Amino acid sequence: MKRDKILRALKDYSRIIIGTCIAACGIAVFSNPARLTGGGVTGVGTILYYTLGIDPGVSMLCINVPLFFLGMYFFGSKYGLKVFIGAVMLSVWTSILGALTDYKGILDYTDSTNVLISAVCYGVLVGSGIGIVMRAGSNTGGTDILAQIAAKYTQFNVGSIEFCMNACVVLVGCVFFGVRNTIFAFIAMYISGHMISYV
């Protein structure tokens, strides 16, 4: 029985590590180099990178850790070790993969077609990665936590609140990256949401 519990835990934490790596690839290799604000903390990280030069992984970590403890305050043990590791590992992988590619990606972004390709790749990779993390009973923090807190005290559901929060981040990105990239960012969010549900 104890052995089964250990094996289950190893399987879950392996999923978290693999899932966050896949999601981080979408962020560091595709969305950030293409200047796509994918919504939530990820989108904020992209905006801060291009305005203040802060590494997206670092800014994501600085936002996610306080949000994690906020979730602990409102929901207690629901936000346990798995969620903390999920949030931290996404930031760590993003910084590692970003450093390896210098946040320049692998495509030529003077061609707008490649920006669209990046939006699709971001949606598939981030959605798949987060889906894998969720199968382990975890998540990657961010606006998930804020949406759950808001839903607790309002009549709106988590999905609607989270979509509005993500949409606000994407629209702020419009100021810095233009209308074209904003449209592509919404496409990326749409694909990501479907991939999470699929996985």
Side-chain angles (χ1 to χ4, degrees), residues 7-187:
L7 289 173
R8 193 180 307 114
L10 286 173
K11 187 176 180 181
D12 285 345
Y13 287 113
S14 295
R15 280 177 172 170
I16 292 169
I17 292 169
I18 293 168
T20 51
C21 181
I22 293 170
C25 184
I27 297 165
V29 181
F30 292 103
S31 71
N32 197 77
R35 302 186 181 214
L36 297 171
T37 50
V41 173
T42 301
V44 173
T46 299
I47 293 169
L48 291 176
Y49 177 74
Y50 285 103
T51 55
L52 301 177
I54 302 171
D55 181 278
V58 173
S59 59
M60 287 161 59
L61 184 65
C62 290
I63 297 169
N64 269 327
V65 170
L67 287 177
F68 168 80
F69 287 109
L70 191 64
M72 283 277 288
Y73 175 79
F74 281 97
F75 301 108
S77 60
K78 180 180 178 181
Y79 287 92
L81 184 61
K82 285 183 182 178
V83 175
F84 183 77
I85 290 175
V88 170
M89 286 306 301
L90 180 64
S91 300
V92 170
W93 280 123
T94 299
S95 289
I96 291 171
L97 294 171
L100 290 174
T101 59
D102 199 26
Y103 287 109
K104 291 179 180 176
I106 56 175
L107 299 173
D108 175 17
Y109 292 111
T110 57
D111 183 351
S112 60
T113 303
N114 288 334
V115 181
L116 177 58
I117 291 170
S118 283
V120 173
C121 290
Y122 166 89
V124 171
L125 290 171
V126 171
S128 300
I130 291 176
I132 292 169
V133 171
M134 285 183 167
R135 284 182 69 89
S138 180
N139 66 53
T140 54
T143 51
D144 291 347
I145 297 171
L146 289 177
Q148 287 170 342
I149 293 170
K152 185 177 180 181
Y153 296 101
T154 67
Q155 59 183 351
F156 302 104
N157 62 52
V158 174
S160 298
I161 295 169
E162 187 165 8
F163 177 80
C164 290
M165 288 179 176
N166 289 338
C168 286
V169 173
V170 173
L171 290 173
V172 169
C174 182
V175 176
F176 300 100
F177 308 128
V179 175
R180 182 198 65 177
N181 282 31
T182 301
I183 293 170
F184 288 159
F186 275 113
I187 292 170

